[in-house]
């Protein structure tokens, strides 16, 4: 099956999650293309989609939201999974739950949405990002659980496997 993995990532942490998803799907026999949302113009030749984004201030990045809006009708005709990645250690978990996910998932008929812990490296953040992170009391470090990401991607691969007759 031809699968598009398209991930919006500002500092590379969420992109790394997408790479694990793509690699796991490839290992399970799928033809996988991974690209940023801004580079996706249509879904011609794509059988399934994994669309994901880093979460900033309780929202997906604009590039991922724009792709979902532009291609909602095409996405609705294919199996779609959504992923989000945000602060792993923030006390207020609701700030890591993108406001638009429920409506987006319904609009495209997503088969599921999974949130993963992220990575925080203050040295690559802008002043505004550092201020937001400080207010959120987030802990620096790589909190991504790549084994959990691979397990989730394996579940996607299982869901896309042809039924045995």
């Amino acid at each position: 099956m031809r699968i598009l993995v398209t991930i919006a990532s500002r500092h590379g942490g969420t992109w790394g999650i997408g790479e694990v998803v793509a690699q796991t799907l490839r290992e399970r026999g799928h033809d996988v293309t991974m690209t940023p949302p801004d580079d996706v113009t249509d879904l011609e030749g794509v059988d399934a989609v994994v669309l994901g984004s880093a979460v900033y201030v309780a929202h997906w990045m604009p590039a991922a939201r724009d792709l979902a809006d532009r291609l909602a009708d095409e996405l609705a005709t294919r199996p779609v999974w959504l992923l989000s990645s945000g602060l792993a250690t923030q006390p207020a978990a609701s700030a890591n739950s993108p406001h638009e996910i429920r409506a987006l998932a319904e609009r495209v008929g997503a088969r599921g949405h999974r949130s993963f812990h992220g990575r925080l490296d203050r040295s690559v953040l802008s002043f505004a990002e550092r201020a937001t992170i400080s207010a959120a009391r987030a802990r620096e470090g790589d909190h991504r659980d790549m084994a959990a990401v691979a397990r989730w991607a394996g579940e996607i691969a299982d869901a896309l496997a042809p039924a045995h007759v």
Side-chain angles (χ1 to χ4, degrees):
M1 187 165 277
R2 296 165 304 198
I3 304 171
L4 171 65
V5 175
T6 182
I7 304 293
S9 180
R10 185 173 294 158
H11 300 294
T14 307
W15 185 262
I17 289 171
E19 288 176 325
V20 171
V21 170
Q23 182 60 35
T24 301
L25 293 169
R26 284 186 192 107
E27 289 170 358
R28 298 285 296 272
H30 295 286
D31 177 11
V32 179
T33 299
M34 185 170 170
T35 191
D38 286 337
D39 293 344
V40 178
T41 56
D42 61 52
L43 299 179
E44 176 123 5
V46 173
D47 300 312
V49 177
V50 177
L51 170 59
S53 179
V55 177
Y56 288 91
V57 196
H59 291 284
W60 264 19
M61 294 181 64
R65 293 192 319 258
D66 178 62
L67 182 145
D69 290 341
R70 284 185 293 113
L71 302 178
D73 291 342
E74 288 183 78
L75 288 165
T77 66
R78 293 161 173 79
V80 174
W81 285 264
L82 307 174
L83 77 84
S84 300
S85 173
L87 298 175
T89 59
Q90 181 165 322
S94 64
N96 272 340
S97 300
H99 295 305
E100 57 275 319
I101 285 298
R102 180 173 288 146
L104 187 152
E106 289 175 6
R107 191 167 67 246
V108 303
R111 293 190 178 190
H113 170 251
R114 180 73 188 266
S115 291
F116 293 101
H117 295 180
R119 179 182 74 185
L120 175 58
D121 177 357
R122 281 184 169 83
S123 71
V124 301
L125 301 180
S126 69
F127 176 78
E129 289 172 325
R130 285 193 308 274
T132 300
I133 293 302
S134 292
R137 300 187 317 248
R139 282 196 335 239
E140 189 155 5
D142 190 344
H143 305 283
R144 299 172 298 171
D145 182 346
M146 296 306 200
V149 172
R151 283 191 301 274
W152 181 69
E155 292 171 12
I156 294 170
D158 289 344
L160 294 173
H164 299 305
V165 181

